Each structure stands twice: as C-alpha cells, then as structure tokens.
C-alpha cells in the first residue's frame, strides 16, 4: 500500500541518501523528496533512485525553475514539488513525464495549478490555511483533487486534517533534520505511518 505521505529530507547529503530512502520505504513511506536547497541534491536523488529500485516515488522539492526540472528528468526523478505555483514549472514537469505538486494557498492558485496540469496541490504553509480553510476550498475544487498539507501538519493532527478532506501530508522536520540517525528517523516514520493509518481509517 502506498500512503499519501511525502518525506521531506531537507539537508540530507549523498552518503546518507540511499540508507535513509531504503529505511523509509521499508517502514511504509515510499514517496521521498530532497529539496534542491540541500547539499548536492541531484546526487542524493540519484542515490535514492538506485536504492529504491522502483519501490517508491523519488523526486525533488523546492523546485523553482524549468531548468531544474530538466536536470531532474535527466537523472530519472519521478516527482517535482514546489513551494509556489509556477505554471512554467508545472508544464515543464508534465512534459518531462513527472508528477507535479506545486505549492498553493488560495483558490485562485489552486485552480491555476490544476489548469496547468498539476497532479496534486501542496497547501503550504498548511498552518496558515488550517483544516477549516482546506475544507472550505474542498467544496469548490474538482472532485478527486489530491491535496497535501505541508508545514503544520503532523501525527498529532492528522485526524483533524483527514476530517477536513485532505488526501495526504508532507513531513519535514518532524521526520528528518540533518544529523538525525537512520534508526531515529525510522522510529519517527513508524509513528507517522501508524498515526496516518489510524487517522485515515478513523
């Protein structure tokens, strides 16, 4: 089962990338992004793609330009996540055959993202939108729109977000910060997966 959970590994380095990806996939988080403001992010993504060997969806976050999209396509990345809603990035991502998750906060941005081909919407920072804001926008978004809460969503409030209609979550510092061991991240990932499953089935 692939859960709608995206691990955000900001700051990870290539020597740690493969082991971290392998551990996360084994625990049940098989969607992983390396933000491009991490050290040597393209190398880390390439290492993760090799480790995953088709078992997950690996890509980049903080993708701000079509040039970055093309570089990601060349290394075989599968997903592009952005903090903003840039139509050029969305279109380039879809032309490259990758999944597109742009950052939005308003109905205008949400509809513009979908019009340009986004596969799902990253509500960021989710703490400012809140479950109530997401629920209100959900009333007008096309049925079946994938929505991810990122920034302010975690195991402690998954159930509240699910009740508001969210599809999934992106988890950053609650899961990983540079220097955190594979064992520590694995334990946190287990808790996140358990809370996700409980919230989704609750």
């Amino acid at each position: 089962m692939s859960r709608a959970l995206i691990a955000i590994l900001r700051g990870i380095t290539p020597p740690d990338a493969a082991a971290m990806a392998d551990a996360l996939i084994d625990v049940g988080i098989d969607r992983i992004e390396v933000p491009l403001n991490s050290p040597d992010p393209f190398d880390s993504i390439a290492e993760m793609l090799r480790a995953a060997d088709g078992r997950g969806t690996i890509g980049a976050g903080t993708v701000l330009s079509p040039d970055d999209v093309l570089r990601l396509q060349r290394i075989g990345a599968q997903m592009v996540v952005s903090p903003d809603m840039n139509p050029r990035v969305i279109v380039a991502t879809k032309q490259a055959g990758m999944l597109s998750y742009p950052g939005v906060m308003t109905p205008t941005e949400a509809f513009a993202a979908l019009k340009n081909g986004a596969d799902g919407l990253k509500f960021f920072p989710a703490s400012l939108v809140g479950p109530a804001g997401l629920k209100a926008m959900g009333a007008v978004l096309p049925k079946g729109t994938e929505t991810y809460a990122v920034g302010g969503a975690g195991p402690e409030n998954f159930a509240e977000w699910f009740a508001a209609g969210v599809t999934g979550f992106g988890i950053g510092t609650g899961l990983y910060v540079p220097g955190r061991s594979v064992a520590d991240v694995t334990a946190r990932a287990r808790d996140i997966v358990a809370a996700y499953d409980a919230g989704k089935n609750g």
Side-chain angles (χ1 to χ4, degrees), residues 4 7 18 27 35 47 52 56 78-79 88 94 106 110 120 126 134 136 147 151 157-158 185:
V27 172
E47 290 293 333
Q78 301 149 323
M79 173 175 66
R88 292 175 63 235
K94 296 315 299 174
T106 67
L134 177 77
T147 55
N157 60 14
F158 279 170
V185 173

Side-chain angles (χ1 to χ4, degrees), residues 109-128:
E109 292 173 337
F111 278 101
L114 294 171
K115 181 180 178 181
N116 280 281
D119 294 281
L121 305 174
K122 167 186 168 179
F123 282 89
F124 173 80
S127 55
L128 295 183

Side-chain angles (χ1 to χ4, degrees), residues 123-188:
F123 282 89
F124 173 80
S127 55
L128 295 183
V129 178
L134 177 77
K135 185 175 182 178
M137 280 188 262
V140 295
L141 289 172
K143 188 172 176 59
T145 298
E146 287 187 40
T147 55
Y148 288 78
V150 182
E156 68 284 351
N157 60 14
F158 279 170
E160 188 180 355
W161 282 99
F162 275 129
V166 81
T167 303
F169 306 92
I171 307 294
T173 56
L175 177 64
Y176 176 84
V177 294
R180 196 169 277 166
S181 69
V182 171
D184 188 352
V185 173
T186 299
R188 291 168 181 269

